[in-house]
Amino acid sequence: MLLKQGQTLVMIGDSITDCERKRPYGEGLFGGTGKGYAAAVDALVHTRYPELRARIVNMGTSGNTVRDLKARWETDVLELKPDWVSIMIGINDVWRQFDQPTIPSSHVYIDEYESTLDELVARTKPAVQGIVLMTPFYIEPNRDDAMRQAMDRYGAVVKRLAEKHEARFVDTQAAFDALTAHIYPATLAWDRVHPNMTGHMALARAFLDAIEFEWF
Amino acid sequence: MLLKQGQTLVMIGDSITDCERKRPYGEGLFGGTGKGYAAAVDALVHTRYPELRARIVNMGTSGNTVRDLKARWETDVLELKPDWVSIMIGINDVWRQFDQPTIPSSHVYIDEYESTLDELVARTKPAVQGIVLMTPFYIEPNRDDAMRQAMDRYGAVVKRLAEKHEARFVDTQAAFDALTAHIYPATLAWDRVHPNMTGHMALARAFLDAIEFEWF
Amino acid sequence: MLLKQGQTLVMIGDSITDCERKRPYGEGLFGGTGKGYAAAVDALVHTRYPELRARIVNMGTSGNTVRDLKARWETDVLELKPDWVSIMIGINDVWRQFDQPTIPSSHVYIDEYESTLDELVARTKPAVQGIVLMTPFYIEPNRDDAMRQAMDRYGAVVKRLAEKHEARFVDTQAAFDALTAHIYPATLAWDRVHPNMTGHMALARAFLDAIEFEWF
Amino acid sequence: MLLKQGQTLVMIGDSITDCERKRPYGEGLFGGTGKGYAAAVDALVHTRYPELRARIVNMGTSGNTVRDLKARWETDVLELKPDWVSIMIGINDVWRQFDQPTIPSSHVYIDEYESTLDELVARTKPAVQGIVLMTPFYIEPNRDDAMRQAMDRYGAVVKRLAEKHEARFVDTQAAFDALTAHIYPATLAWDRVHPNMTGHMALARAFLDAIEFEWF
Amino acid sequence: MLLKQGQTLVMIGDSITDCERKRPYGEGLFGGTGKGYAAAVDALVHTRYPELRARIVNMGTSGNTVRDLKARWETDVLELKPDWVSIMIGINDVWRQFDQPTIPSSHVYIDEYESTLDELVARTKPAVQGIVLMTPFYIEPNRDDAMRQAMDRYGAVVKRLAEKHEARFVDTQAAFDALTAHIYPATLAWDRVHPNMTGHMALARAFLDAIEFEWF
Amino acid sequence: MLLKQGQTLVMIGDSITDCERKRPYGEGLFGGTGKGYAAAVDALVHTRYPELRARIVNMGTSGNTVRDLKARWETDVLELKPDWVSIMIGINDVWRQFDQPTIPSSHVYIDEYESTLDELVARTKPAVQGIVLMTPFYIEPNRDDAMRQAMDRYGAVVKRLAEKHEARFVDTQAAFDALTAHIYPATLAWDRVHPNMTGHMALARAFLDAIEFEWF
Amino acid sequence: MLLKQGQTLVMIGDSITDCERKRPYGEGLFGGTGKGYAAAVDALVHTRYPELRARIVNMGTSGNTVRDLKARWETDVLELKPDWVSIMIGINDVWRQFDQPTIPSSHVYIDEYESTLDELVARTKPAVQGIVLMTPFYIEPNRDDAMRQAMDRYGAVVKRLAEKHEARFVDTQAAFDALTAHIYPATLAWDRVHPNMTGHMALARAFLDAIEFEWF
Amino acid sequence: MLLKQGQTLVMIGDSITDCERKRPYGEGLFGGTGKGYAAAVDALVHTRYPELRARIVNMGTSGNTVRDLKARWETDVLELKPDWVSIMIGINDVWRQFDQPTIPSSHVYIDEYESTLDELVARTKPAVQGIVLMTPFYIEPNRDDAMRQAMDRYGAVVKRLAEKHEARFVDTQAAFDALTAHIYPATLAWDRVHPNMTGHMALARAFLDAIEFEWF
């Protein structure tokens, strides 16, 4: 696995990452990494590699867009001096365009999304050992759905930036598409966004595969 | 309008109807008819026809299927001696097949749905002046979606029964399809089922048109 | 209808407008426009004209007098750059003179009321496409009642200002008088001020008629 | 004063009497007699006649009509073996006809009111030293108001029964009319029914005058 | 009565006065003057003299000593421009010496008590029509009790200052001694300090007698 | 000490014993014996004699009189098959005569107190190794106080019964008198009944002395 | 994997299993299987084998011993007609002997433990396809610790019964010993019993290995 | 006993000391010294020496390390001008190294611990009559346990500093070892740190012995 002895991994994102994590830092006793995929990653790493003494910090914040990440990047990522950083952002950037279309100030369009994420990765890369970029997703198997199409376009941005910056890439949309081939979306998430534990575990598995976790 | 001086209308259904109505009877002071389409119907009738002194009672109960309606039909509908009864049921009958597919005891399949609804209407018709049958709906414009297809089949049952029993028919799915032609489903309902006030007003309008409400 | 494609309507007022609207801006998901006439207007506009993508923002604040509106006019109205503004204010200006007569600091007498409202309308008119002025009201059919008489005098001020500034005028008192011809005030509002949904729907209908809403 | 050494007075009625009294018996420590006129009577009696060791029990229950009093008369009045009983009932009997006119099961019309109250007084008189009958009231100075007129008719019933049974009579409506000659109703009670402390003190004073309380 | 048409009376003190009054000013709707003797005074004045339109403001604050009154005298008394001021202070000044004897910073000894109260009265007198000075009290009939003796010494200070400044004087201790001749202290107040409604009514009566209230 | 290896002590009484003990049995983890003298006894016994593995069960119930103890004696004492039983009861039996003198049904007079306590002790003695009888108390140093005099009479009953049945006797009143020689009652208990931790420790010390606890 | 298409697995146990599962049946939407190892098993099975549509029901109940399982076995296991049953019980059976040693009624000694568990397995085996027996555990690496020794003895019973009945066997103690070789117990569980997510994931992994889950 | 007439003792520490003490100063009415050993010391001193009128102030704060004590030493100890100071600190300094090993910022290693504690004692000694130094403890009888070993090393620091500064020394670990010879740790504290009342009483006894308390 890429994560080595005593290293620190900071996972940042929106509500999918947050999941009731501890404040101000999402780590430590009593569910510090929350109840979502970050907690599953944390638990699986320590269960499989107890000798590593890895430090995993969940810095997700519900409702965040990439614009919000930028505003707190210095204090919430760089000052923690991580060895690894994972980023999953973009769901709210897209969703607000569809669930409150009349409030443009809440939308983050694709150009701003790409340039901001690009800037954050470029700024971080020199200081860390590696970056993991995770796409946003929408648990909607219908690829003709307007919001799914938008989410796919944002996901393509993430893929392009991962290649540009040689970051590890996690296609979370593909992970959910594999599930929805067999499971109706409403079983996984009533709003097609906030998944149940099965969805979070799929995210954790996709993330761990990307950092070369050995399952046994 | 069909509702006449001093008449009583009982509206029964699931959470779409319920909307925090008063218990045991959904009428009277302080939001007795709840916060959904039944309340909008109640308000519009009294605003437009204050001289009618109509009595509108919301008897919806969250989570109900047609099987639950049958169990409380005597006390919750017939004993109220209504002049008019409206029924909107079936969403949970279908939804449970899709959001908890592994729990069959929570599913109401289409044969049971049709025979039960048929029985309730037949039993009620002799005692009332008229019945309004409203289809269940799913705020999903993609007609190839598996749950939408199922909901359409249940809606077709309602239409068939309305014709058989000469009841007033309300196609709520059509009312939502008219909205989703312009508005993305997530704006109307995060879970594509429980609408915001716009969705409830669309239901109220469709219902009122069916009972020949004169808008001015 | 006067409200056109993509336009913004700001509705400001006191508790009759507020009705648990979202803060700081009364719009968007999960009942952002509250539970009163502003929400009914919002729902009816989107139900009837889903293609308009109108933006309706409820900026009512419970307990406000015209003096309070003036204090927050810049941030709560002008900065939102609305195309249309509706104002319903004056109930508390009058009511405090009757329910706490010994506390003069809480009273807004008619001269201050008129000059302040006049100033707000004059200041706003150049920046918007239109203004809707709604009278305050008292759900008391007895025109000899002292507080009703006072409210009527404040309502006459609103009518005068509407004419002066060529604003759309809504006579909410007349709307309630039409209801109380058939319905006793206590059915509509225990305190003769805060109406139930029927009362709010009457306000919404009067407002929508004033902006040339087409009911079908 | 009529109340003598060690005697017990039971005061029964609706929410005007109840006022958060203790359950099951409204007496004793920590505000047992509630926060309304019964508590004021209790306090004034003990302040003025501390040597009497009178026992005052508040048995009011919010929402009660005379029909409800009858149902609990045995346990809530007779079993307490009072020396004196005061009754103030009828507000809800009338009010429900005006605030929920479409729900007839909640109305108590004047014939049932009179016959039931008559029966309760007749049944109680032999067992006690005296009965005090208090009229219901409506804090509405306009005698042409429909609900005020109804309340006056119920009050006339109380007066007639007081004369028939030689009970002490308290005209609470007259007590409020004396106040509203100078104070607008909204200062005393937002809903014109549940008075503030001033209104309760007026009730207490009228009651105490009827039992020949000596103010000093 | 001394209080005249349209005059303002400010009543200040500790928890005996406070009794859950409204903040920041203890007046107006919904129990603004609290639940204690100030509320009883307020209610009796308005019941007996509804035409006066007197303004009564309760400015008591739980836990206060005379040192606390001094700190808020400007804002909480003088800025209200009262015509009459009543002061009942000293219970906590004494009590803390007895219930937390090891914490001297919480004690206000008699010299500071007298000089501070003297200063407040002297400062206020020129601006008002009259001042009412009420003694502190202890509902302990045993005059040899150490805390009762201390309270009596503080009460004597109040009497002396009333004479010096020609203020109206209320001997609250005497009012309670009259009650405890017949009623055991625990019936009036579990802690011998915070009375039930009977005790508050005794305070109200003593106060009203001092301002020449006519009971009928 | 009298309590031997593995023996069970049941301590029963009123609120002084109860102190938020666990239900249905006052023992075990997380403060099972409550926060009062029973908990202090429990802690001191285990601290001083950890090898004893004694079982201490607090069965106090707030508000109890001896009449209440009798009603639950079988289930709450005898069925626990204790080796030792301690009883402290009587405060409420007396107190209610003084704090709610007009409600005789709440009083337990001295004859009933003596005969009931006598019966309970007689019934229990054959089944246990020993009984500890603790007097009720009143933290009032003035022996002329009416309630103190009554409490002393009830305490004398306890002493008489202890002698009659050869039970261990604890004079709790004497323990408090020793404290109040130096500490004003209000420091120990605002209501002169429910002591702070110092008072509870005095009770625990008196109890432990009676069972020959060796302090070191 | 042993679990096949459409099969049902019931997981029963104590608080380690329970973890806030849904009532009465621990399955379905909104975290029905709780927050512990059962939820992790549920999520991993559905993530890895979405096509199986397996049904996993968590029937753990906090505080249970094997005695409690027996009492609810019919309704909580057999009536669900499971294909597979997993049992992890015994922690409370042992723990109560150590954390409340003086309350013998709360202890389940090893003979009762073995015979009861034996009976439950024997009774269930004919009706199911397979049984998984999981040992109880104590997150205490010191094998000389008295409670660890007891827990090991109970674990040996489980192993013996698994062999006797040819059930799948999960050595949870071994799973924790592997963790505590590197991680101090307090990191995993403050009370050495209720693990954090890392501990639950270790349980899930051990369970899944026992049913031949293929990690990829 | 060392504590003399009217002297003040300040007890400072972490959650073991804090135990819900009053803020900002842990003294006075209604459980001011909390529910732990400080409260037991307070109660025992006043019970045994009521004439001393000693002042005991609990200044413990949950979660504190010696680093936190230093930050608040001036305001929370020196400004209180105590005659005696007791310090029990170090549990969190050690514990965080074991329960959140990956978060080094939360650890206080032994050099910082010793130098900081040394500095605090040196700074305080000239201003007080005496200092009591209490070791930290871990209710773990296994002396080979890694955290117990660390705690013993910190305890040795306390002993060394007590000798260096001629402070009174309390070996709390020895007090717990005496208990755990007979009582399993889980009976005293589920997390082996926060004791039940028995554990707190053991701390109080050890403390009182160190200040030459005479038990009788």
Side-chain angles (χ1 to χ4, degrees), chain A residues 95-96 98-101 138 140-142 145-148 183-188 190-192 194, chain B residues 95-96 98-101 138 140-142 145-148 183-188 190-192 194:
Chain A
W95 202 5
R96 290 298 89 73
F98 289 86
D99 69 3
Q100 42 189 36
Y138 189 40
E140 167 59 76
N142 174 19
D145 176 276
M147 182 165 146
R148 169 68 195 260
I183 301 176
Y184 188 77
T187 308
L188 295 166
W190 264 28
D191 58 8
R192 308 200 175 190
H194 294 97
Chain B
W95 201 4
R96 289 300 90 73
F98 288 86
D99 70 2
Q100 43 189 36
Y138 190 41
E140 167 58 76
N142 174 19
D145 177 275
M147 183 165 147
R148 168 68 195 260
I183 302 176
Y184 189 77
T187 308
L188 294 166
W190 265 29
D191 58 7
R192 307 199 176 189
H194 294 97

Side-chain angles (χ1 to χ4, degrees), chain G residues 94-171:
Chain G
V94 173
W95 201 5
R96 291 298 90 75
Q97 301 174 43
F98 288 86
D99 71 1
Q100 43 189 37
T102 64
I103 310 181
S105 65
S106 67
H107 307 164
V108 177
Y109 299 112
I110 198 163
D111 288 349
E112 179 182 354
Y113 177 76
E114 178 154 11
S115 63
T116 308
L117 189 53
D118 191 10
E119 176 196 331
L120 294 180
V121 174
R123 191 167 145 204
T124 310
K125 206 180 162 190
V128 302
Q129 179 160 337
I131 291 174
V132 182
L133 289 181
M134 306 173 76
T135 66
F137 62 83
Y138 190 40
I139 309 175
E140 167 58 78
N142 174 18
R143 285 159 203 249
D144 295 332
D145 177 275
M147 183 164 146
R148 167 68 195 260
Q149 289 182 328
M151 203 66 81
D152 284 345
R153 284 193 296 274
Y154 281 61
V157 165
V158 175
K159 186 167 195 192
R160 197 154 57 236
L161 291 175
E163 286 162 0
K164 174 177 171 186
H165 295 288
E166 296 184 320
R168 297 274 157 171
F169 175 67
V170 181
D171 188 343

